[in-house]
Amino acid sequence: MTRILALILALGTAGTAVGVAAPALAQDGPLRIEITEGVIEPLPYAVPDFVAEGGNAAEYAQQISRVIAEDLSGTGLFREIPRDAHISRVSNFSSPVQFSDWKAINAQALITGAVSSDGAGRLTVKFRAWDVFAGTELGDGMQFSATTDGWRRLAHKVADQVYSRITGESGYFDSRVVYVSESGPKDERAKRLAVMDYDGANVQYLTDSRSIVIAPRFSPNGDRVLYTSYETGEPRIHVLDVGSVQSRILPTSDGVMSFAPRFSPDGSQLLYSMTRGSNTDIYAMDINSGQTRQLTTAPSIETGASFSPDGSKIVFESDRSGSQQLYVMPVSGGEPTRISFGQGRYGTPVWSPRGDLIAFTKQNAGRFHIGVMRTDGSEERLLTASFLDEGPSWAPNGRVLMFARETQGAQGASSLYTVDISGRNLKRVRTPDGASDPSWGPLQ
């Protein structure tokens, strides 16, 4: 086993952080892993500027290698060795790697690549990833092609491959997020749906700001978005086709409020809440036929439902016990089981794509938190704390959460943040305006 391939991190464990032991350069054998208490030593790596192979590739080669580095370093699991510390210069993609030069600067992983252009608006990126201390290649070299407009996607695809080969997990860089873009003063805020790359680049607007829109949710394959709109004067659920940017209202009952929609894992159904009088219950709808089925019947408020990855269960929030708590029940029906028992109120639950955790918003003692717990309610962990954190959404690989954070006061604004499920690596996502209600889509 090579040193880097031994770095199959125990990333599925929410209750512990993973640390990488410093490499013992004089020793043979795999890189060792230490489970530490919230401390991690990121893996040092190098990514020289990719080689430009003719045409107008030069203007893209450096940008692509920089985005790859931003993706990897942004996880908190990797640390880039600055380019001015490099001893070797990669000027030919096919040249042998001088491993001794990279060992000398303690680079444990090396990513080399080249970019070519066909002169007709298409780029091709090829890359290799290397275990420096073992002197071996990590997997096989690969190449990806796209139009010049898609150069960032090419970089994300390479970063996903490198991330996967080193951690043993799938990546999440070549993914998009749909969210609510916010502008204007706090008491007259204009809201419209927008979609962006996971890192905030390539923002596109899907609706205008003539009516309030909330709670967008991506479909499992990213081709549609569910959201709630006040276009008709009352909250109604819409489904939007991302490719054509056309939407339609789903056939929920007239004269009542319907909201908080979310797709099933296969995209054929949705969960949503509907209010009749003072009572709010959860319903399931077949998207093609419009047939609905009521799932809860308690004289209380049930909302925020989310499917388990296998589609057999749902988690939702309810005040049936007197305060806002989380419950799990079979999607076929039956008595819900309460899973939250800590102090405070719980809401916006969402099942991890891995199926092992449920993320939630918690309000307690005047503070808001994003947290995770096991599906039976055990091992609750609070990952954040602020004036207002809410609405977590999972990365496609279940390793990172994105959520909205609002600042206090009359000038307060909402922004998007990400955090690792260990509670590390809290980062703000760059957006042109204020942002809330993120929904992380699948890998493209």
Side-chain angles (χ1 to χ4, degrees), residues 171-233:
Y172 58 89
F173 309 123
D174 185 26
S175 61
R176 297 194 294 173
V177 175
V178 64
Y179 68 100
V180 175
S181 176
E182 303 184 357
S183 59
K186 196 169 186 177
D187 56 350
E188 296 181 18
R189 192 154 290 167
K191 299 187 176 186
R192 52 182 171 165
L193 294 189
V195 64
M196 65 182 183
D197 295 352
Y198 94 100
D199 57 1
N202 294 326
V203 173
Q204 297 175 286
Y205 296 101
L206 303 178
T207 66
D208 57 36
S209 57
R210 287 179 293 179
S211 58
I212 296 174
V213 291
I214 58 174
R217 299 290 180 260
F218 255 131
S219 64
N221 64 5
D223 64 337
R224 293 164 293 164
V225 171
L226 289 170
Y227 65 99
T228 302
S229 172
Y230 285 74
E231 180 181 351
T232 63

Side-chain angles (χ1 to χ4, degrees), residues 78-194:
F78 301 87
R79 174 177 60 81
E80 185 188 11
I81 295 174
R83 285 173 291 173
D84 58 9
H86 296 183
I87 298 173
S88 281
R89 300 297 179 208
V90 179
S91 58
N92 188 313
F93 180 71
S94 300
S95 295
V97 173
Q98 302 300 314
F99 290 110
S100 59
D101 289 347
W102 299 106
K103 287 180 183 179
I105 61 173
N106 197 35
Q108 295 181 46
L110 172 68
I111 302 108
T112 60
V115 180
S116 60
S117 171
D118 65 0
R122 288 194 67 81
L123 295 174
T124 296
V125 176
K126 53 188 177 181
F127 80 96
R128 289 177 176 143
W130 306 89
D131 181 336
V132 171
F133 285 90
T136 58
E137 189 171 357
L138 294 171
D140 297 325
M142 294 182 68
Q143 68 178 35
F144 302 104
S145 296
T147 62
T148 54
D149 290 342
W151 69 266
R152 290 186 66 90
R153 280 202 64 196
L154 293 176
H156 293 323
K157 284 181 175 294
V158 173
D160 276 331
Q161 285 292 321
V162 174
Y163 178 94
S164 179
R165 294 178 189 192
I166 295 177
T167 68
E169 291 192 332
S170 61
Y172 58 89
F173 309 123
D174 185 26
S175 61
R176 297 194 294 173
V177 175
V178 64
Y179 68 100
V180 175
S181 176
E182 303 184 357
S183 59
K186 196 169 186 177
D187 56 350
E188 296 181 18
R189 192 154 290 167
K191 299 187 176 186
R192 52 182 171 165
L193 294 189

Side-chain angles (χ1 to χ4, degrees), residues 13 71 96 190 227-228 307 332 368 392:
T13 305
D71 285 346
Y227 65 99
T228 302
F307 279 100
S332 58
F368 280 78

Side-chain angles (χ1 to χ4, degrees), residues 66-67 70-71 74 152 156 177 179 195-203 205 402 414-418 427-435:
R66 288 302 88 211
V67 170
E70 290 172 3
D71 285 346
R152 290 186 66 90
H156 293 323
V177 175
Y179 68 100
V195 64
M196 65 182 183
D197 295 352
Y198 94 100
D199 57 1
N202 294 326
V203 173
Y205 296 101
M402 187 176 292
S414 185
S415 303
L416 301 183
Y417 283 77
T418 58
K427 295 194 315 174
R428 182 174 176 175
V429 181
R430 299 167 301 213
T431 55
D433 298 301

